[in-house]
């Protein structure tokens, strides 16, 4: 590991396919970030196994048994915060971390904590995004990587990736298409931040453009 790379901590609760995308991206020596810690609130989460296979330090800090109230949440987050700082984390990546965070952790890592959400925010905050997109009949759906704020799924947007909704799609088939996009969007967002190309101003993330960055038109159905 090189000392000049941005140190990431990835927080997970489950299968960790986005974690895997970050692990794979970081395997490239040219990637400007490295994963210093993978932390789960769920014992036995498969993402922990992915981290171990990649030789990345892991920590499990279960929320169970700490009480569900404000005091329990705060105590749980204090343990997480201490572990993140001990690992020298500089950017926290929430990747399927299925627990709402309180202002203690969110504000403590202001502009240094990002999340991936399976919808094109600000549409479809919350859960069951694919079902809701299908019910609404939208033609484009996708994912968003954003900075975390205390209001859920509401922080400044760094990267979005759109996919078409095809006739005959089910929530599962749409989720699979979005997940493929997530695995590209998350490493890109981390790279932009690690390269110092992002600047947050209010709700807007300004991204330093480079030649060739212009994307083409995305239309669904395609013309
Ligand atoms: C992803 O769909 C992500 O957008 C959402 O939770 C899911 C996590 O999947 N926040 P995985 O654990 O990364 O496979």
């Amino acid at each position: 590991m090189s000392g000049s790379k941005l140190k990431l901590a990835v927080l997970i609760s489950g299968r960790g396919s986005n974690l895997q995308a970050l692990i794979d991206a970081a395997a490239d020596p040219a990637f400007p970030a490295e994963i210093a810690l993978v932390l789960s609130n769920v014992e036995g989460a498969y993402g922990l196994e992915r981290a171990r296979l990649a030789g990345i330090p892991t920590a499990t800090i279960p929320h169970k048994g700490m009480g569900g109230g404000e005091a329990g949440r705060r105590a749980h987050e204090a343990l997480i915060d201490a572990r993140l700082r001990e690992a020298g984390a500089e950017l926290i990546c929430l990747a399927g971390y299925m627990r709402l965070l309180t202002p203690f952790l969110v504000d403590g890592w202001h502009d240094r904590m990002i999340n991936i959400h399976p919808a094109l925010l600000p549409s479809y905050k919350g859960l069951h995004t694919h079902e809701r997109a299908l019910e609404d009949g939208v033609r484009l759906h996708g994912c968003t990587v954003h900075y975390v704020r205390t209001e859920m799924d509401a922080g400044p947007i760094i990267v979005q990736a759109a996919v078409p909704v095809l006739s005959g799609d089910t929530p599962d088939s749409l989720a699979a298409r979005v997940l493929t996009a997530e695995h590209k969007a998350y490493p890109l967002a981390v790279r932009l931040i690690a390269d110092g190309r992002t600047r947050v101003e209010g709700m807007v993330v300004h991204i330093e453009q480079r030649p060739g960055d212009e994307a083409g038109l995305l239309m669904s159905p395609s013309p």
Side-chain angles (χ1 to χ4, degrees):
M1 288 201 196
S2 135
S4 63
K5 294 191 177 208
L6 187 74
K7 278 190 188 323
L8 311 177
V10 185
L11 267 57
I12 59 153
S13 299
R15 67 187 166 181
S17 72
N18 278 288
L19 163 66
Q20 188 67 54
L22 292 172
I23 291 172
D24 294 345
D28 178 349
F31 194 70
E34 63 191 7
I35 305 175
L37 177 70
V38 172
L39 190 152
S40 173
N41 64 321
V42 176
E43 281 179 65
Y46 184 63
L48 291 168
E49 181 63 17
R50 295 180 191 268
R52 281 186 209 109
L53 288 170
I56 298 167
T58 63
T60 305
I61 303 183
H63 61 273
K64 279 193 180 158
M66 301 205 67
E70 192 58 33
R73 277 183 189 276
R74 173 65 203 262
H76 183 236
E77 290 189 2
L79 293 177
I80 292 175
D81 186 60
R83 192 68 189 80
L84 295 174
R85 291 182 194 281
E86 187 187 314
E90 296 167 294
L91 180 70
I92 312 304
C93 301
L94 305 181
Y97 184 74
M98 299 303 287
R99 199 156 165 80
L100 287 179
L101 297 175
T102 77
F104 168 70
L105 209 57
V106 173
D107 294 342
W109 291 88
H110 188 82
D111 286 352
R112 294 181 300 150
M113 182 186 285
I114 63 177
N115 179 49
I116 185 152
H117 181 73
L120 293 171
L121 292 173
S123 294
Y124 307 117
K125 297 174 180 176
L127 298 173
H128 309 300
T129 56
H130 311 306
E131 286 86 342
R132 287 154 58 207
L134 285 173
E135 277 163 22
D136 286 346
V138 298
R139 295 265 177 237
L140 289 170
H141 186 44
C143 65
T144 303
V145 184
H146 62 94
Y147 285 100
V148 176
R149 296 290 184 263
T150 44
E151 191 189 336
M152 192 180 64
D153 301 328
I157 291 169
I158 308 157
V159 169
Q160 293 189 302
V163 300
V165 179
L166 303 178
S167 60
D169 260 337
T170 63
D172 283 351
S173 65
L174 185 54
R177 193 173 307 119
V178 170
L179 197 61
T180 305
E182 292 184 37
H183 298 161
K184 294 187 178 139
Y186 217 164
L188 172 60
V190 168
R191 186 149 55 80
L192 290 170
I193 293 169
D195 280 342
R197 292 176 61 189
T198 56
R199 183 173 54 82
V200 187
E201 195 179 326
M203 273 301 289
V204 176
V205 179
H206 298 278
I207 296 187
E208 181 200 319
Q209 295 289 318
R210 301 233 168 119
D213 278 351
E214 299 80 16
L217 173 68
L218 186 60
M219 198 181 283
S220 174
S222 50

